[in-house]
Amino acid sequence: MFRFRLGSVPVHVHTSHLLFSAVLAYQSLPVPGRHSGAGWMGDQLADPSSPGHMGAVVTYVLSWMFIVFVSVLVHELGHAVAFRFFGYQPSVDLVFMGGVTRPNTDAPLPWHKDVVSSFAGPLAGLTLGVLCWAVLMQVRGRSEVADFFLGNFFFANMVWAVLNLLPVPPLDGGHISTALATRMFGRRGFIVSHVLALGLCVGMVLLAIKSGALFMGVLFAMFGFQAFRVLADVMRARNEAKEEEGPKAQALREAQQALREDRLDDAWRLGNLLLETEGLSPGLTSRAHYLLGWVALKQGHGRPALDHFSQVQGQPVEMHAVAAAFSLVGDDARAVGYWKQAWGESQDRTVMHEYAGALIRLGQVNEALRLPGVDPAAAFRCAERALFIRGAYSEAAAVSEAALKHVPDPGIAYDAACAFARAGNVADAVRLLQRAEALGFKDGAYASSDEDLAHLHGHPPFEEWLARLRPAASP
């Protein structure tokens, strides 16, 4: 790539543009043995055995590269001048077979500015072509070099301008026809302009096949495919808009409302019923999977959450949701990367503590506690909770007990006791309950009804501990 400026307009010339113009020029070389009509180098081009043949080929290719470069640049400068007239700060990129001129504005162009600026490019090319023809009429025959350049500048610019005025996006004529049709007829006009473009592309491809113009056929096949994709997207959006008003969308909204109200069983049932509905659009299918992924996550089921999130298309899945799902399935090696990325994007303290919890579960306690502004108690609770939810009670208890070395918190000691109780370890459960009591835990009423401690009921040490707290819990 090389860059330069023409006045206030920066121009970037990409390597792909130079390569394309070189290939185009080489393919246009005359057939050996036939006079090329290329003026001063015609004989050398026509005779491969001529000593000057290779030099003539190089000169011919470089000459045509220059013609293509200047013609495309003038065309794009026509757009740039129009953008400057409207008060924009345009820039020009010469890429592949043509160029792109950007007005460099965040706002969409008004339709009339779009039409004028689109037409300005072909108009500039037509003007250059007419000027070359006028000069050629005055100097024809005086110089073979002048005849070659003036004649081919006229030919290249007239062909390029006419081609660009065809009503086929992304050509300038396509921009003009789409802007005008949309302005006059709204969405229907947009569709009609692309149907017209698709039909014209089909006709051009058939004409190219008949005439043997392979490059032209491939070019308009690409344009036609692009128009077809636009039409398909429009029709899909229209169908989804209609579906938003139907019973299927209403069923999805009911499931979403159940999720917001934490009626997880209802949300799960409604979401799965929706997925079983025949003829469900891809959009509603994706949104149903997104909903079910969150339901599974809230229920503590990591694997179903990942399965549903993997089938979501067309909308993002929050990074912290993916991280939580991997944490729940026990894949902390992958979860920690997602937690780190989620924290970097959100700077949310809750996400940061979940990231710290994942580091703790991986044994990287010191790194977790060095995170800026980390609350050690919150970090260890996050580490313990994921283990507890996925049923790794002994590991959860070990994490909580290790946390007491850093944070002598009664709640953490109580959580460790609950995890030991769930694991069937009565002695350690009671030991941690006594530690929680020593640190200030006094809610005997809560402990007596806590399902996590149900396995301890009937054991004398637990009943004695509970009896000590009950007076404190009485009114």
Side-chain angles (χ1 to χ4, degrees):
M1 174 194 291
F2 67 92
R3 305 178 180 184
F4 59 94
R5 298 182 71 90
L6 290 175
S8 61
V9 180
V11 180
H12 301 169
V13 183
H14 295 252
T15 306
S16 62
H17 176 73
L18 300 177
L19 291 175
F20 173 80
S21 61
V23 171
L24 186 65
Y26 186 80
Q27 288 184 337
S28 68
L29 283 169
V31 178
R34 183 186 303 168
H35 194 278
S36 67
W40 85 99
M41 54 185 157
D43 294 336
Q44 289 90 346
L45 287 173
D47 184 7
S49 62
S50 169
H53 175 73
M54 184 56 64
V57 169
V58 173
T59 303
Y60 180 86
V61 170
L62 291 176
S63 299
W64 261 107
M65 287 178 66
F66 175 75
I67 291 169
V68 171
F69 172 78
V70 172
S71 300
V72 174
L73 180 60
V74 168
H75 177 101
E76 297 304 324
L77 287 176
H79 296 308
V81 169
F83 286 138
R84 287 288 296 151
F85 177 79
F86 289 126
Y88 300 113
Q89 299 293 326
S91 61
V92 173
D93 284 82
L94 302 189
V95 293
F96 190 45
M97 61 173 292
V100 179
T101 302
R102 299 178 177 85
N104 295 319
T105 176
D106 295 331
L109 288 179
W111 72 273
H112 63 284
K113 294 182 180 180
D114 194 10
V115 170
V116 171
S117 58
S118 295
F119 183 70
L123 180 61
L126 286 170
T127 302
L128 177 60
V130 170
L131 287 175
C132 289
W133 178 81
V135 175
L136 179 62
M137 292 300 98
Q138 299 297 320
V139 302
R140 175 177 285 177
R142 299 180 189 178
S143 168
E144 291 183 339
V145 175
D147 289 351
F148 174 82
F149 277 100
L150 290 171
N152 284 310
F153 263 120
F154 168 73
F155 171 78
N157 280 277
M158 298 305 289
V159 170
W160 188 242
V162 171
L163 179 68
N164 263 280
L165 286 173
L166 292 176
V168 176
L171 300 177
D172 295 322
H175 285 292
I176 294 171
S177 64
T178 300
L180 290 175
T182 303
R183 171 67 179 176
M184 291 187 290
F185 306 108
R187 180 184 291 270
R188 182 178 300 177
F190 180 86
I191 294 173
V192 169
S193 67
H194 280 77
V195 170
L196 173 63
L198 180 58
L200 183 58
C201 287
V202 171
M204 292 296 292
V205 169
L206 294 176
L207 180 62
I209 294 174
K210 185 176 181 180
S211 61
L214 178 61
F215 174 77
M216 190 66 66
V218 172
L219 181 65
F220 277 92
M222 292 170 55
F223 292 160
F225 178 70
Q226 180 174 331
F228 175 79
R229 286 187 60 184
V230 169
L231 289 170
D233 289 342
V234 169
M235 298 307 296
R236 182 165 54 250
R238 174 179 289 184
N239 291 335
E240 290 181 355
K242 290 180 179 179
E243 197 172 39
E244 285 295 329
E245 302 175 0
K248 297 173 185 176
Q250 179 59 34
L252 177 62
R253 285 191 287 271
E254 291 177 5
Q256 291 169 335
Q257 183 62 31
L259 175 61
R260 285 191 291 270
E261 296 174 355
D262 281 332
R263 294 185 287 112
L264 301 182
D265 290 340
D266 288 340
W268 183 260
R269 176 179 55 83
L270 292 170
N272 279 291
L273 285 175
L274 184 61
L275 286 180
E276 294 171 2
T277 305
E278 293 184 3
L280 194 65
S281 72
L284 285 182
T285 299
S286 181
R287 289 161 63 188
H289 281 299
Y290 177 80
L291 174 133
L292 290 171
W294 269 105
V295 174
L297 205 59
K298 285 177 172 287
Q299 291 176 329
H301 305 312
R303 179 54 58 193
L306 288 173
D307 291 342
H308 284 293
F309 285 149
S310 68
Q311 298 179 71
V312 175
Q313 299 178 354
Q315 68 179 102
V317 176
E318 294 86 344
M319 194 64 65
H320 64 271
V322 178
F326 276 115
S327 292
L328 289 174
V329 299
D331 192 349
D332 285 312
R334 295 182 68 177
V336 72
Y338 285 107
W339 282 123
K340 183 177 182 180
Q341 186 174 345
W343 174 46
E345 292 175 355
S346 67
Q347 293 299 304
D348 184 274
R349 283 184 56 80
T350 300
V351 174
M352 185 261 288
H353 285 116
E354 292 288 358
Y355 170 41
L359 289 172
I360 290 171
R361 289 193 296 272
L362 290 173
Q364 301 173 30
V365 176
N366 291 333
E367 183 177 346
L369 297 183
R370 282 198 299 266
L371 294 177
V374 68
D375 178 358
F380 277 104
R381 283 195 178 96
C382 288
E384 185 268 346
R385 184 171 59 248
L387 293 167
F388 193 93
I389 291 174
R390 67 190 190 214
Y393 299 120
S394 296
E395 294 177 44
V399 166
S400 290
E401 189 167 10
L404 295 173
K405 300 175 184 178
H406 302 271
V407 188
D409 182 271
I412 291 177
Y414 181 83
D415 289 341
C418 290
F420 276 128
R422 285 281 188 177
N425 189 336
V426 176
D428 283 330
V430 172
R431 177 173 60 82
L432 266 297
L433 287 174
Q434 292 169 347
R435 178 74 185 278
E437 180 187 5
L439 291 171
F441 184 84
K442 299 182 181 301
D443 197 347
Y446 177 81
S448 64
S449 60
D450 190 344
E451 292 184 0
D452 292 332
L453 300 179
H455 188 70
L456 302 183
H457 286 282
H459 290 274
F462 173 71
E463 297 296 345
E464 291 174 5
W465 175 84
L466 203 57
R468 287 198 303 272
L469 295 188
R470 277 175 177 153
S474 301

